[in-house]
Amino acid sequence: MICQKIGFRQIEVKNGVLLLNQQPIKFKGVNRHDSDPQSGYTISEKQAMADLRLMKQHNFSAIRTAHYPNLPWFAELCDRYGFYLIAEADIESHGTNAVYVPSPEKSILLGVETVSDQAAIRQQVIDNYCYMARSPDFTQAILDRVQANVQRDKNRPSVLIWSLGNESGYGENFELAARWVKAFDPARLVHYENTIFQHSDHQNDTTHLDLHSEMYRSTEDIEAYFATERNTKPYLLCEYLHAMGNSCGDAEDYFQAMEQHAGACGGFVWEWCDHNPYLPQSKKMGYGGDFGDFPNDSNFCADGLVRADRRIQSNLLELKNVQRPLRAKYHNGQIELTNYLDFTHAEDAVSIHYQLLENTVLVQQGQIATPKILPKHTALLPFTLPPNNGSLWLLNLEYRTKHATPLVEKNHLLGVDQLCLFGDKRLPSFYPPRLPEQAHIQHSSREIHITFGNTKYVFDKQKGILSQLLSAQRPIIQRPLDFNIWRAPLDNDSLIKAHWFAAGYHQAYSRAYTMQVGQRKDRVVVQAHCALLAVSQSKILDLNVEYHLFDHAYFEIKIHAKKAPHLPFLPRFGLRFYLAKQQWQARYFAYGKGESYIDKHHATQLGLYQTTPRQNHVDYLKPQENGSHYHCSFIKLTGAEGGLYITAQHPFSFNLSPYSQEELASKKHHYDLQESPYCVLCVDYKMSGISSNSCGPALKEAYRLNETQWDCTFKVSLL
């Protein structure tokens, strides 16, 4: 006799909306493989429980068993601890889309035209992809696996949706399988994503599929789906937000897109954990090619929210806060609080703690009684606002568990909100009054020397940049202060970087057309008309630069930049400081303390933080851009022999690292990195966003540095 605990619930679709027990729900889901760097694909209940605990702590409600049925007890754990399941059959055959398809040979000669019917080539790839889905040779195998999946877990109430498999094309075999599932278990829903692929000799029948499922489509695609009246099925992203390396830049955009439509039922992030095994006789992790293996997919196995050993990555923290149970909004002088839980009243589950800060100084803190808010409803948060006195007022809210649950302890942090009540999200900058100083100017054929007391500024006439900055004969910058447009490519830059390389962004250098110096009442101004160029490429940027030197300890760099419209968007634009290798301490006001970017900063908050170059660096298995901080008002660096205080005309980004971007880009693993002989500080007018383009949509235009011209000013004080 086998005893099983069972449960009752109702899953259905009404008027294009997914309902559980007659209530609309949106999946906060993740794809999970059985995987461990030591035990491989063999997972114990203890290991699975560690995953479930982390998922609950980071606000996930659903799991897709990608891409096979998990061990029988896994669904029982999901019954017990409250996870929705998409139970997937063990079918995946997307290798068929790699079968050779004839295409025209290309010529090296520009005068030889290559005629290519790309639509026909694409259709042939799709036809190959759908081979097993249509071939009678595989009918019984597909039916057998689908039936075994359903028969085994038919009594598990956590299973809401049956998945016919993953990425295996579409055709008669899957239509037959879907028909069988609906006949055997009409109380559950059926999903299969590959119905979007149509074989040239077959008309797809999706009658027995309850959801319109897709992978990695953009938020614009979601909008287009709901703008078409004939689309009446709920929309599900069974994979999205490819979490490879420094990623998940569009998490908040997806959340907002889903909330706009009742028929959008959420999505499942790809994926839960990295799949990196340890190297032989080592605690270092490797990936494809490190084991003499062929074929391999390089580091495409490192695409998890957590590392293979379950260490948390910033992608998971970003998702956690995007998926927080409550959200606050400051609107018309009041604070509106919305409950995004599916079935639980806000006051029964969440306690609210707050801090009120004026120009970063703590004014009040405490706990606010959680209002009574029904699921998916909004109420006003009772809080007395301060008067608007011109300061930057920030209200930080923390949402914590009111009671312990089996997987989450009491007072666990579920998420945060930060409301800017007054001010423009900038901390005011203060500069001490300065007295005019006498400047001494010297010219040579290649350089301009300007001296204020014991401080010397040296400019390179050929490049149009500050090549040396010395105080009491001690170099403040160890290498010339040059313009910087490059970053160590992200995994998400794997497609766009081909365009960056083609445009020469990775090897850009500056050249001056003209350079002149003039003295004004309170400053010396060095003007340079220069360009950012690359060998054998067209000009990247045209730059008109003014260096305003006020005295021995303060200068400004004003830049007017122009970019040709046909060039790809820039990774970044700013200045790169090479500073002496010493024990630097950095204090800054920006989104922190974790890394933050224009499209990835929802796990961070504006505030005053401290860091060092090593602390600021974020290790990714494959090195790439990391550790930047978005919307910075100032950074103050102090060391044994002085320091720098840097602000800008507008909020800027900065990165402080013991590694150069060239070093990060050149190494395969983080443990291969060699520290620079300098401390590297990048101060950026803008840094382009992160996105999830390693397997997903391109970076949104709003997050690209794609302006054709801009002005920026950097202000530097020597300490």
Side-chain angles (χ1 to χ4, degrees):
M1 179 183 295
I2 299 175
C3 296
Q4 292 186 330
K5 293 182 179 180
I6 62 172
F8 297 92
R9 46 87 199 108
Q10 182 183 33
I11 183 75
E12 60 184 330
V13 173
K14 279 189 178 180
N15 300 319
V17 179
L18 181 71
L19 302 178
L20 179 65
N21 297 336
Q22 301 182 349
Q23 295 296 320
I25 64 170
K26 294 185 187 293
F27 295 120
K28 298 172 183 175
V30 65
N31 287 273
R32 178 190 171 275
H33 274 293
D34 283 336
S35 179
D36 184 88
Q38 288 187 310
S39 62
Y41 304 128
T42 304
I43 299 298
S44 68
E45 185 172 328
K46 180 180 179 181
Q47 289 169 305
M49 281 297 298
D51 281 349
L52 296 179
R53 184 172 289 105
L54 276 173
M55 289 177 188
K56 276 293 184 187
Q57 290 172 347
H58 291 82
N59 300 324
F60 285 94
S61 65
I63 301 168
R64 177 176 174 230
T65 64
H67 299 295
Y68 40 79
N70 288 178
L71 287 164
W73 45 256
F74 185 79
E76 295 177 9
L77 293 178
C78 292
D79 292 349
R80 187 183 311 164
Y81 295 111
F83 286 93
Y84 309 135
L85 276 185
I86 294 182
E88 189 148 279
D90 185 16
I91 300 173
E92 179 164 4
S93 60
H94 66 353
T96 54
N97 66 12
V99 173
Y100 175 74
V101 173
S103 59
E105 296 182 28
K106 296 181 180 180
S107 173
I108 195 174
L109 302 175
L110 182 61
V112 177
E113 181 180 3
T114 301
V115 179
S116 176
D117 188 345
Q118 291 299 315
I121 293 172
R122 179 177 181 273
Q123 185 59 55
Q124 185 58 59
V125 173
I126 292 174
D127 288 354
N128 292 344
Y129 189 26
C130 295
Y131 170 74
M132 293 184 184
R134 301 197 65 220
S135 171
D137 294 340
F138 293 93
T139 302
Q140 193 54 46
I142 289 174
L143 268 176
D144 179 67
R145 293 190 177 205
V146 170
Q147 290 169 349
N149 182 44
V150 173
Q151 290 280 14
R152 196 198 72 179
D153 286 340
K154 61 190 175 187
N155 292 330
R156 301 273 57 83
S158 57
V159 176
L160 303 185
I161 300 171
W162 299 116
S163 172
L164 302 182
N166 181 67
E167 296 180 6
S168 300
Y170 196 67
E172 294 91 332
N173 295 337
F174 284 104
E175 292 167 355
L176 184 62
R179 189 178 304 118
W180 180 89
V181 175
K182 291 303 287 186
F184 180 82
D185 186 10
R188 287 187 174 94
L189 306 183
V190 181
H191 138 89
Y192 184 63
E193 177 264 345
N194 263 192
T195 60
I196 63 174
F197 296 110
Q198 179 82 51
H199 193 283
S200 56
D201 294 331
H202 178 70
Q203 180 60 47
N204 288 352
D205 178 5
T206 61
T207 304
H208 300 290
L209 298 176
D210 298 287
L211 306 163
H212 178 83
S213 301
E214 297 211 43
M215 296 179 178
Y216 305 112
R217 300 308 294 262
S218 68
T219 58
E220 291 79 8
D221 292 328
I222 298 173
E223 295 296 331
Y225 176 82
F226 286 106
T228 305
E229 290 186 4
R230 69 174 181 272
N231 293 331
T232 58
K233 292 182 178 180
Y235 189 101
L236 175 70
L237 281 171
C238 62
E239 295 179 21
Y240 80 121
L241 279 177
H242 199 254
M244 187 173 177
N246 187 359
S247 188
C248 298
D250 29 21
E252 177 68 13
D253 295 308
Y254 276 110
F255 175 86
Q256 295 295 341
M258 295 289 184
E259 288 299 316
Q260 292 298 313
H261 303 283
C265 54
F268 292 75
V269 175
W270 189 267
E271 63 177 312
W272 175 243
C273 68
D274 291 347
H275 305 296
N276 309 106
Y278 291 116
L279 296 173
Q281 311 302 317
S282 174
K283 284 298 182 181
K284 296 178 179 178
M285 291 183 179
Y287 54 76
D290 290 337
F291 304 87
D293 51 307
F294 179 84
N296 67 74
D297 213 1
S298 187
N299 68 316
F300 223 70
C301 57
D303 54 4
L305 295 170
V306 296
R307 297 186 184 187
D309 59 8
R310 275 39 178 191
R311 281 181 290 168
I312 292 170
Q313 305 199 88
S314 65
N315 300 339
L316 179 60
L317 299 178
E318 185 78 357
L319 260 295
K320 174 184 178 178
N321 207 50
V322 168
Q323 297 175 163
R324 60 195 181 272
L326 305 182
R327 283 183 170 231
K329 182 172 68 173
Y330 181 55
H331 182 65
N332 291 334
Q334 295 178 311
I335 299 172
E336 298 175 352
L337 193 65
T338 301
N339 178 10
Y340 285 93
L341 294 170
D342 290 332
F343 297 98
T344 306
H345 292 215
E347 69 276 12
D348 293 335
V350 183
S351 63
I352 302 175
H353 304 255
Y354 80 95
Q355 287 187 331
L356 181 65
L357 301 99
E358 180 184 9
N359 290 338
T360 75
V361 177
L362 181 64
V363 176
Q364 287 181 30
Q365 64 179 342
Q367 188 169 340
I368 305 172
T370 307
K372 294 183 178 181
I373 315 176
L374 296 173
K376 310 299 171 62
H377 283 69
T378 299
L380 294 179
L381 184 70
F383 188 80
T384 302
L385 299 176
N388 184 358
N389 60 0
S391 297
L392 172 62
W393 287 92
L394 297 174
L395 177 62
N396 294 338
L397 300 174
E398 290 185 348
Y399 310 121
R400 295 184 175 272
T401 50
K402 184 172 280 188
H403 310 287
T405 63
L407 296 183
V408 183
E409 63 186 10
K410 181 181 178 180
N411 207 38
H412 171 76
L413 182 64
L414 295 167
V416 298
D417 267 311
Q418 183 176 64
L419 304 180
C420 181
L421 303 177
F422 310 111
D424 61 356
K425 292 189 177 183
R426 291 196 70 184
L427 197 62
S429 298
F430 299 98
Y431 298 95
R434 296 186 177 277
L435 298 174
E437 295 183 17
Q438 183 65 38
H440 181 64
I441 303 172
Q442 288 183 306
H443 289 267
S444 69
S445 59
R446 288 182 168 270
E447 294 179 332
I448 301 173
H449 293 239
I450 302 170
T451 304
F452 288 92
N454 62 0
T455 298
K456 178 182 285 189
Y457 302 85
V458 180
F459 291 90
D460 185 328
K461 288 183 176 180
Q462 185 179 17
K463 297 176 70 66
I465 61 175
L466 181 64
S467 59
Q468 296 181 63
L469 175 58
L470 302 102
S471 177
Q473 299 185 339
R474 176 179 58 86
I476 304 300
I477 55 175
Q478 305 297 307
R479 292 177 59 180
L481 182 61
D482 212 339
F483 308 105
N484 185 27
I485 62 171
W486 189 240
R487 71 183 182 193
L490 303 159
D491 290 317
N492 288 334
D493 293 333
S494 59
L495 298 177
I496 188 61
K497 73 179 180 183
H499 298 271
W500 290 346
F501 279 119
Y505 289 0
H506 63 301
Q507 54 187 11
Y509 63 94
S510 57
R511 282 291 181 267
Y513 300 123
T514 62
M515 198 165 191
Q516 56 191 17
V517 61
Q519 196 152 8
R520 300 182 188 175
K521 180 179 179 181
D522 61 343
R523 71 193 76 174
V524 174
V525 178
V526 178
Q527 294 176 309
H529 178 206
C530 50
L532 216 55
L533 310 166
V535 175
S536 301
Q537 297 296 332
S538 61
K539 180 167 59 177
I540 299 169
L541 294 177
D542 186 89
L543 302 171
N544 281 292
V545 186
E546 292 185 354
Y547 300 88
H548 291 243
L549 314 179
F550 289 84
D551 54 34
H552 72 284
Y554 178 70
F555 63 97
E556 298 179 358
I557 303 175
K558 299 177 181 288
I559 304 168
H560 177 72
K562 293 182 180 179
K563 180 179 79 71
H566 73 278
L567 291 175
F569 71 89
L570 297 176
R572 68 182 345 143
F573 177 77
L575 301 170
R576 181 156 52 158
F577 293 78
Y578 289 92
L579 305 174
K581 194 81 166 181
Q582 57 174 292
Q583 298 298 315
W584 291 104
Q585 294 288 329
R587 189 167 183 262
Y588 64 93
F589 181 84
Y591 280 96
K593 61 178 181 179
E595 60 188 356
S596 57
Y597 297 83
I598 187 173
D599 60 345
K600 182 187 176 181
H601 59 271
H602 300 90
T604 60
Q605 291 183 305
L606 282 173
L608 276 176
Y609 301 99
Q610 293 186 348
T611 191
T612 67
R614 289 195 181 99
Q615 290 171 353
N616 195 61
H617 173 75
V618 181
D619 264 339
Y620 290 97
L621 182 58
K622 182 180 181 182
Q624 55 199 277
E625 159 59 36
N626 69 84
S628 189
H629 293 281
Y630 168 66
H631 206 87
C632 183
S633 292
F634 75 85
I635 176 171
K636 181 180 181 182
L637 275 175
T638 55
E641 298 180 333
L644 296 174
Y645 178 84
I646 300 174
T647 64
Q649 179 183 7
H650 304 291
F652 60 96
S653 291
F654 82 87
N655 191 320
L656 182 67
S657 178
Y659 306 106
S660 70
Q661 58 209 29
E662 292 80 8
E663 175 69 9
L664 292 170
S666 68
K667 296 299 170 63
K668 286 185 61 179
H669 312 92
H670 65 78
Y671 46 77
D672 299 328
L673 291 171
Q674 298 293 318
E675 288 196 3
S676 169
Y678 314 108
C679 169
V680 184
L681 171 65
C682 295
V683 179
D684 298 317
Y685 159 69
K686 283 185 182 178
M687 163 82 77
S688 285
I690 296 299
S691 80
S692 58
N693 191 222
S694 59
C695 186
L699 181 67
K700 291 180 180 293
E701 187 65 33
Y703 304 138
R704 300 181 176 200
L705 177 43
N706 205 22
E707 304 156 42
T708 55
Q709 58 180 314
W710 62 88
D711 293 283
C712 57
T713 299
F714 299 103
K715 305 176 181 182
V716 183
S717 297
L718 308 185
L719 303 178

